[in-house]
Amino acid sequence: MATDRLRTAHNSHVDVRKAKAVIFILPPQVALQTNRPNSQTHFEMFSSSPAIVFTATLVAKALSATSPVSSTEQAGLLCGINTYGTSGAWTSAYLSDFSTTMSATVGTLAYGLDSLVTATEVTTPVITNSVCNVTTYSAIAAAVSACTNIALTGITVPAGDTLNLSSLKAGTIVTFYGKTTWAYADSDFDMLTIEGKNITIQGAPCSVIDGNGAAWWDGEGSNGGATKPDHMITVEKLTGNSVIKNLYIKNAPTHVFDITKNVGLLVKGVVIDMIDGYKILSSGLDAAHNTDGFDLSSNNNTLVTNSMVINQDDCVAITSGVDNVANNMFCSGGHGLSIGSVGGKSDNTVNGVTFSNSNVVNSENGARIKTNSGTTGTINAVTYSNITMSGITTYGIDVQQDYLNGGPTGTPTNGVTITNLVMSGVTGTVVSTAYDYYILVGTGATVSSWTFTGVSVTGGLKSCNEVPSGITC
């Protein structure tokens, strides 16, 4: 059965004849069925009105301590993609990548962050207080003030307003149902803010958080043009056992996540879908620009895992912080897995980052470290481990100390030092006009502290003013 097969159904019921079927009853009158023909998992969505029925074949995986996104949670995300994703955009290749990414297990992670995955998750209780069951934007503030279990259903945020979850009570669970979106405003404003202790932010099956990005897109992103929100979702100062999970997010105006000053945060099972942003404008530019998936700064012990980013800029960009991990990531169309840029900011220390077990495809860069010319700071103990890449159009592995937002200066400086860099099992291909390796570092750079093992990126050019042991450049 083709993994992207679509067909129309007019069923008003759900077939429960399979003994091992799992049924979700979802508003409005939507149900999801799973069964396991031929040791695989088969999902179908049914509606009481004519609807697209999505069929995907996924490797069946029972929930365990090492699989952070269960087959049930995967099914819920797929339902959201089917319900709200652009018709025909989710190809069989994307669906296969979804399966691989979400089903991947988590072994032992750097800094002991696998403990975040194996921690006991909070069970969402039934809402008994009507104040906590929110269907209008105006009712959100009262729910935040009174409730520790909040359901947000079909919310449209008025123009220029913030969906403010920055004053949540400790231990609050917030679940997004249906479609959450924002009206257009010609301004830079916070769209969604999240803060608190022991907080759970989650998407219900068949839900979407839609940033209405097309209303702002002009091909210039945050670099110019129309005034736009700088980040769609700001996550700040989450502490305790906080988790963000099972979110299908699409069409941010510019950057998606700004994750800053959090401790012990787990992010898992997130799909960022900026496929609509590839539309070519009359200017010749992609409509969406600067659509970073995850921007992390000044975090401690934060894990982003088993997530999928299809966008036009950095998949993950870590600019500062201590002991953070991005694991089991799928990145397509953007700028890859990045450190930086570092230098000239309020926090210019990166100490302990691991990118692991991830796949970067059809992107400008694979693995990239960028420091701002003429600034100071520290990048230490960064590891890229088991990273595969293909279809890279600019740099496979890129380490440059001459970066500026407008483009490289060509004059590297070593004010932001890069020490104890590890590349292990980084492999793949670039297009013939791209660079397998591009290393441009300033005088005094400690390339001798770098360790490259099992690194092989091929297909393109090479340019290195310093060559670490383990590669030929």
Side-chain angles (χ1 to χ4, degrees):
M1 181 180 295
T3 58
D4 60 347
R5 181 170 65 87
L6 301 177
R7 62 185 175 88
T8 302
H10 301 272
N11 302 63
S12 59
H13 67 281
V14 177
D15 183 357
V16 294
R17 291 172 295 175
K18 299 293 184 180
K20 295 184 179 180
V22 179
I23 305 297
F24 299 84
I25 305 301
L26 304 167
Q29 293 79 49
V30 177
L32 177 78
Q33 175 187 341
T34 74
N35 50 49
R36 293 176 172 78
N38 302 320
S39 299
Q40 294 178 319
T41 300
H42 171 236
F43 303 103
E44 293 197 32
M45 286 66 147
F46 298 88
S47 175
S48 58
S49 60
I52 294 294
V53 173
F54 176 91
T55 303
T57 303
L58 300 175
V59 176
K61 180 175 291 296
L63 178 62
S64 72
T66 56
S67 53
V69 185
S70 71
S71 56
T72 298
E73 292 170 318
Q74 292 178 41
L77 286 166
L78 284 170
C79 183
I81 291 167
N82 173 67
T83 305
Y84 298 105
T86 300
S87 177
W90 279 79
T91 63
S92 58
Y94 277 147
L95 295 173
S96 177
D97 293 325
F98 174 94
S99 171
T100 300
T101 302
M102 297 299 166
S103 300
T105 59
V106 174
T108 301
L109 296 178
Y111 328 119
L113 294 191
D114 46 295
S115 63
L116 298 179
V117 176
T118 56
T120 302
E121 293 196 27
V122 176
T123 300
T124 306
V126 175
I127 294 177
T128 57
N129 184 347
S130 61
V131 172
C132 309
N133 195 359
V134 179
T135 57
T136 61
Y137 172 78
S138 60
I140 293 175
V144 169
S145 177
C147 307
T148 56
N149 182 21
I150 301 171
L152 302 178
T153 303
I155 301 297
T156 296
V157 181
D161 284 344
T162 299
L163 203 169
N164 190 346
L165 302 178
S166 62
S167 299
L168 295 169
K169 294 176 177 292
T172 294
I173 301 168
V174 179
T175 307
F176 289 88
Y177 291 86
K179 180 179 180 179
T180 303
T181 193
W182 286 258
Y184 172 79
D186 183 17
S187 62
D188 180 359
F189 64 99
D190 293 329
M191 299 182 77
L192 170 59
T193 58
I194 302 167
E195 185 176 340
K197 181 178 181 181
N198 296 332
I199 302 300
T200 297
I201 304 293
Q202 61 187 0
C206 302
S207 63
V208 69
I209 300 178
D210 188 334
N212 188 28
W216 283 274
W217 292 340
D218 56 8
E220 298 192 48
S222 57
N223 291 336
T227 303
K228 311 170 187 72
D230 191 50
H231 279 91
M232 181 175 164
I233 304 172
T234 300
V235 181
E236 184 173 10
K237 298 178 182 176
L238 284 179
T239 60
N241 295 316
S242 293
V243 60
I244 297 172
K245 64 178 183 175
N246 307 334
L247 298 180
Y248 172 47
I249 300 166
K250 65 177 296 186
N251 294 352
T254 56
H255 311 80
V256 182
F257 276 99
D258 178 16
I259 299 175
T260 184
K261 299 178 182 176
N262 302 281
V263 178
L265 171 64
L266 169 63
V267 180
K268 67 169 190 170
V270 172
V271 175
I272 294 175
D273 173 3
M274 300 293 297
I275 296 173
D276 292 351
Y278 293 127
K279 177 183 177 182
I280 302 299
L281 303 177
S282 59
S283 62
L285 300 173
D286 283 349
H289 190 63
N290 298 129
T291 54
D292 296 31
F294 297 95
D295 288 340
L296 279 73
S297 62
S298 302
N299 299 288
N300 192 328
N301 293 111
T302 288
L303 170 63
V304 181
T305 191
N306 296 74
S307 292
M308 189 171 187
V309 179
I310 307 170
N311 70 337
Q312 296 81 20
D313 211 301
D314 292 315
C315 176
V316 180
I318 300 178
T319 58
S320 58
V322 178
D323 295 351
N324 298 298
V325 172
N327 178 66
N328 289 344
M329 302 296 298
F330 173 82
C331 309
S332 177
H335 295 177
L337 300 169
S338 299
I339 296 292
S341 62
V342 178
K345 302 176 181 179
S346 58
D347 186 349
N348 300 291
T349 298
V350 176
N351 189 15
V353 169
T354 295
F355 296 103
S356 55
N357 307 316
S358 297
N359 188 20
V360 183
V361 305
N362 302 327
S363 299
E364 287 192 16
N365 313 295
R368 179 167 69 155
I369 298 176
K370 46 187 177 176
T371 71
N372 290 319
S373 180
T375 64
T376 59
T378 300
I379 298 174
N380 180 57
V382 170
T383 296
Y384 288 82
S385 175
N386 191 25
I387 308 298
T388 59
M389 63 184 77
S390 62
I392 304 303
T393 60
T394 306
Y395 303 121
I397 293 177
D398 174 27
V399 183
Q400 60 184 105
Q401 292 183 303
D402 68 331
Y403 185 81
L404 285 176
N405 190 46
T409 66
T411 305
T413 63
N414 194 41
V416 180
T417 58
I418 303 172
T419 55
N420 300 310
L421 170 63
V422 175
M423 297 265 180
S424 175
V426 180
T427 61
T429 58
V430 306
V431 302
S432 61
T433 54
Y435 287 86
D436 303 333
Y437 312 118
Y438 185 88
I439 298 175
L440 182 60
V441 294
T443 302
T446 54
V447 176
S448 60
S449 72
W450 301 1
T451 302
F452 284 37
T453 58
V455 174
S456 178
V457 180
T458 61
L461 310 170
K462 296 176 176 61
S463 178
C464 307
N465 71 339
E466 294 282 349
V467 182
S469 61
I471 64 170
T472 300
C473 187

